[in-house]
Amino acid sequence: MRTTVGIIGAGPAGLLLARLLHNAGIDSVVLESRDRAYVEHRQRAGILEQGTVDVLRAAGAAERMDRDGLPHDGIELRYDRKRHRVDFPGLTGGRSVMVYAQTEVCKDLIALQLKDGGPLLFEAEALAVEGADTDTPRVRFRHEGREDVLECEYVVGCDGFWGVARKAVPAELTQVFERTYPFAWLGILADVPPSHGELVYARHDRGFALLSMRSPSVSRLYLQVPAGTDAESWGDEGIWDELERRFETDDDWKLERGPITQKSVTPMRSYVHEPMRYGLLFLAGDAAHIVPPTGAKGLNLAVGDVVTFARALAYQRETGSAERLDAYSETCLRRVWQAERFSYDMTSLLHRAPDATAFEDRMQLARLERIAGSRAAETDLAEGYTGFPFG
């Protein structure tokens, strides 16, 4: 097989890149190791930044999002039994976010790709990226029981942290920056309408809690738990009791309970791989960087990467200049590190470390009071949450 851009991974990054390239008249092939059902049902992120929403609309992939997504103009911070709402549009000149699950984004992009895009091969396992430092990179893969080779002009690795793309970058050229946190998130899906119209981020002496949602009838909630926790070690009533404690306020707000349909534990880590380019191989999304989920940045960072690549390749086709492709890693990493900073700040602001001291507890409360009492501090949070500019 031969194509212009070989894309490894059919998550939101790889699928959106294929759509952007199709709209620019550039052919691609997408290789995905899992089957379609898995891709369309794996639970991941659910918050789309303003820039991501704008890109999906411009790409013609927003019909269901605009119909079924839940626009959010703010979040609520809870601490010391107090409530403070952060008004995104009022602080950012009109920017907001959209609650629309990654699974739905993938369904939309898969349908478009199968309808009028290039080849999208499910159960096509990428085995290796070869010749990335030559003019003829290729991806070796296995599909329908036999090995094949995809010859490309460019390879984009959207295959996640455990994929093969990053392994093609020589270790001697690589720098890795990472932090592992001593806590995790116990996440649940529950068949109950959300107890609040916007996301609630709660800092509590017992640990962090987050009230989110997937739809008007399905709630998504999280509890900070020790790293390595087994989700099944928590009973349903115990989860609701703990959520109730951590969301407590001095008014009459009430947490609504319902049947829990799914439990999972998400580890917390920060990770950046530099560079994000080697020869004609470009890394995007979790293949290059991971953020703790507190800042809702993972999917949105991946979108920023593929938008940067697609624009750079289109520019090269129009002008003959590879200047923007050559700057891909540097351009993406500026945004990546700002998102890493924001996610780290949100995580350290709201989570209680296992060895936290009384001084550190007071510092968290002082930071939250500063956000609640200073428009400048509140604006910095709102700008970070609604998203940093692409490119």
Side-chain angles (χ1 to χ4, degrees):
M1 296 181 69
R2 184 184 298 272
T3 191
T4 300
V5 181
I7 301 170
I8 308 175
L15 292 166
L16 178 59
L17 177 57
R19 183 65 183 174
L20 296 173
L21 295 175
H22 171 77
N23 289 349
I26 301 171
D27 63 296
S28 68
V29 172
V30 183
L31 305 176
E32 168 55 47
S33 63
R34 303 282 193 162
D35 62 27
R36 181 177 178 178
Y38 180 89
V39 174
E40 291 187 338
H41 291 92
R42 57 185 167 191
Q43 291 291 331
R44 294 290 189 273
I47 307 295
L48 308 183
E49 295 174 354
Q50 182 71 64
T52 297
V53 170
D54 294 343
V55 165
L56 290 171
R57 287 173 177 157
E63 180 181 349
R64 279 205 319 134
M65 178 192 73
D66 284 331
R67 185 185 70 230
D68 300 334
L70 305 174
H72 279 209
D73 286 340
I75 58 172
E76 182 172 288
L77 300 176
R78 291 195 186 178
Y79 60 97
D80 204 20
R81 303 180 68 93
K82 301 174 184 177
R83 303 171 65 176
H84 176 76
R85 182 177 184 269
V86 180
D87 174 17
F88 292 157
L91 295 163
T92 64
R95 296 171 68 82
S96 60
V97 298
M98 179 79 75
V99 176
Y100 190 63
Q102 174 176 314
T103 50
E104 305 309 310
V105 173
C106 287
K107 289 175 187 176
D108 297 341
L109 291 169
I110 287 171
L112 288 169
Q113 186 72 7
L114 295 178
K115 177 183 176 184
D116 55 22
L120 166 54
L121 305 183
F122 290 105
E123 299 180 86
E125 179 188 6
L127 303 174
V129 177
E130 300 172 340
D133 58 342
T134 73
D135 293 333
T136 56
R138 56 199 174 274
V139 182
R140 246 185 336 106
F141 68 99
R142 182 183 296 111
H143 184 236
E144 295 181 341
R146 64 182 180 86
E147 284 196 20
D148 204 342
V149 174
L150 177 62
E151 298 178 347
C152 323
E153 295 179 28
Y154 308 91
V155 177
V156 182
C158 305
D159 52 343
F161 183 79
W162 301 106
V164 301
R166 191 177 65 253
K167 297 174 184 176
V169 183
E172 62 270 20
L173 301 180
T174 294
Q175 278 189 293
V176 169
F177 307 86
E178 59 185 326
R179 177 186 179 90
T180 301
Y181 298 86
F183 41 75
W185 279 11
L186 170 64
I188 64 167
L189 279 174
D191 286 338
V192 60
S195 300
H196 192 67
E198 295 176 332
L199 273 69
V200 178
Y201 288 77
R203 184 268 171 207
H204 194 277
D205 286 344
R206 297 177 65 90
F208 168 75
L210 171 62
L211 185 157
S212 183
M213 61 210 67
R214 283 295 177 263
S215 74
S217 61
V218 177
S219 293
R220 181 74 159 151
L221 300 108
Y222 299 92
L223 284 171
Q224 176 189 341
V225 295
T229 293
D230 178 3
E232 296 306 318
S233 68
W234 280 77
D236 291 6
E237 288 306 307
I239 291 173
W240 287 118
D241 289 345
E242 190 62 26
L243 286 166
E244 206 164 70
R245 291 188 193 100
R246 298 189 193 184
F247 286 125
E248 63 189 358
T249 64
D250 281 332
D251 58 19
D252 59 357
W253 182 88
K254 181 183 178 183
L255 178 68
E256 299 296 334
R257 302 185 179 208
I260 294 175
T261 60
Q262 185 184 109
K263 300 177 190 175
S264 61
V265 171
T266 302
M268 305 281 282
R269 64 187 305 224
S270 301
Y271 175 92
V272 180
H273 177 283
E274 295 187 9
M276 290 176 58
R277 177 191 178 181
Y278 171 62
L280 295 174
L281 167 65
F282 299 77
L283 303 179
D286 286 1
H289 42 73
I290 293 172
V291 290
T294 324
K297 289 281 161 278
L299 181 155
N300 296 289
L301 271 184
V303 169
D305 295 342
V306 298
V307 167
T308 300
F309 175 81
R311 289 175 177 172
L313 184 55
Y315 181 79
Q316 191 267 345
R317 291 299 174 96
E318 293 166 5
T319 67
S321 171
E323 176 185 5
R324 296 185 184 179
L325 281 172
D326 292 341
Y328 171 81
S329 183
E330 180 184 357
T331 301
C332 289
L333 284 169
R334 282 197 296 270
R335 189 169 186 271
V336 166
W337 276 112
Q338 285 303 313
E340 292 281 354
R341 174 199 62 81
F342 178 77
S343 299
Y344 173 83
D345 285 350
M346 288 285 284
T347 301
S348 62
L349 173 68
L350 296 164
H351 292 74
R352 193 171 192 276
D355 58 351
T357 65
F359 177 84
E360 289 164 327
D361 289 339
R362 289 297 182 125
M363 286 298 295
Q364 284 184 318
L365 293 173
R367 290 169 64 190
L368 286 159
E369 290 284 8
R370 173 66 176 170
I371 291 168
S374 164
R375 185 175 178 85
E378 195 177 23
T379 298
D380 184 61
L381 188 155
E383 288 179 345
Y385 199 97
T386 56
F388 303 102
F390 295 151

